[in-house]
Amino acid sequence: MSRIGNKLIPMIEGVEVKINADNVEVKGKNGTDVVKYDPSRIKIEIEDNNIKVSRLNEEKHTKQLHGTTRALLNNAIVGCHEGYTKTLEIIGIGYHADMKGNDVVLTVGYSHPITISPLPGVTIKVVDTKSKDVNSVVEVSGQDKFKVGQTAALIREVRRPEPYKGKGIRYKGEHILRKEGKRAGK
């Protein structure tokens, strides 16, 4: 039994939801999103200002799709109303990020700067901080949760945080397990 799939999705004021034969269109102030579903396995209906996602049979694949469809629909509604944001911190001597058009240019210890282009519908913003610990802060935002997370992961993958000095690109609030160096015990 899917506990996530059985949860009702509350309708948010300002977001319009239209249920079609095999997809759901969501329109809000941040844009439009379309969530596809299998009408032979999943039933979506609006009742009492809530969206209810239910399954039509008890097959294993239907049970798997039940919670996934509900989560994708909820993410589309929240994304069209509020949007999603991921914040990354760049830590290290000489490490920084700059904007070049819509792309972000990362200087993180390699012999050349690395340019990352955002996925469609995603915006990147670089905020320079005056903090002694953090050189630059990169904010990735958009309406699609997957695209925001994927773009942030592409940026982080350029220079993952290392465990000895903690240098690299990390998510804001991410805890990095630190290791002792070879000479620490002597």
Side-chain angles (χ1 to χ4, degrees):
M1 175 172 86
S2 174
R3 293 184 178 162
I4 297 293
N6 290 332
K7 288 176 68 174
L8 297 176
I9 303 170
M11 295 286 287
I12 299 174
E13 192 172 322
V15 176
E16 181 182 325
V17 177
K18 183 180 177 187
I19 301 171
N20 297 326
D22 66 340
N23 63 28
V24 178
E25 293 180 33
V26 181
K27 292 182 184 176
K29 65 180 180 182
N30 286 346
T32 305
D33 201 357
V34 176
V35 177
K36 294 185 181 274
Y37 71 97
D38 186 359
S40 66
R41 297 176 186 270
I42 303 293
K43 180 180 177 184
I44 300 175
E45 55 193 357
I46 298 174
E47 55 183 47
D48 298 334
N49 211 20
N50 289 320
I51 300 173
K52 182 180 179 184
V53 179
S54 56
R55 57 181 180 253
L56 298 176
N57 58 41
E58 296 298 317
E59 294 176 6
K60 182 178 180 180
H61 188 63
T62 304
K63 289 179 179 181
Q64 293 168 343
L65 286 176
H66 186 207
T68 302
T69 304
R70 189 257 178 218
L72 291 174
L73 186 56
N74 186 51
N75 290 344
I77 291 171
V78 172
C80 288
H81 181 65
E82 299 169 8
Y84 291 98
T85 303
K86 290 255 186 187
T87 305
L88 297 128
E89 299 173 336
I90 300 176
I91 299 171
I93 296 173
Y95 289 11
H96 65 276
D98 297 310
M99 291 299 296
K100 185 176 182 183
N102 292 335
D103 302 341
V104 64
V105 178
L106 302 170
T107 306
V108 287
Y110 295 119
S111 62
H112 59 284
I114 296 174
T115 304
I116 301 289
S117 299
L119 294 175
V122 177
T123 58
I124 299 175
K125 186 169 76 170
V126 175
V127 180
D128 287 327
T129 63
K130 303 300 180 204
S131 170
K132 66 175 187 166
D133 296 333
V134 180
N135 296 353
S136 297
V137 174
V138 179
E139 291 181 357
V140 181
S141 59
Q143 82 170 35
D144 190 344
K145 188 175 185 177
F146 171 76
K147 290 180 180 178
V148 169
Q150 184 66 31
T151 303
L154 289 173
I155 294 171
R156 183 181 185 271
E157 200 60 34
V158 171
R159 176 71 82 175
R160 297 174 78 178
E162 55 97 13
Y164 295 101
K165 294 181 182 176
K167 299 186 332 180
I169 303 172
R170 68 175 74 173
Y171 295 113
K172 185 174 184 175
E174 180 181 8
H175 178 71
I176 305 298
L177 289 175
R178 302 291 293 271
K179 294 181 180 179
E180 285 185 11
K182 290 181 182 179
R183 310 272 308 172
K186 292 185 178 182

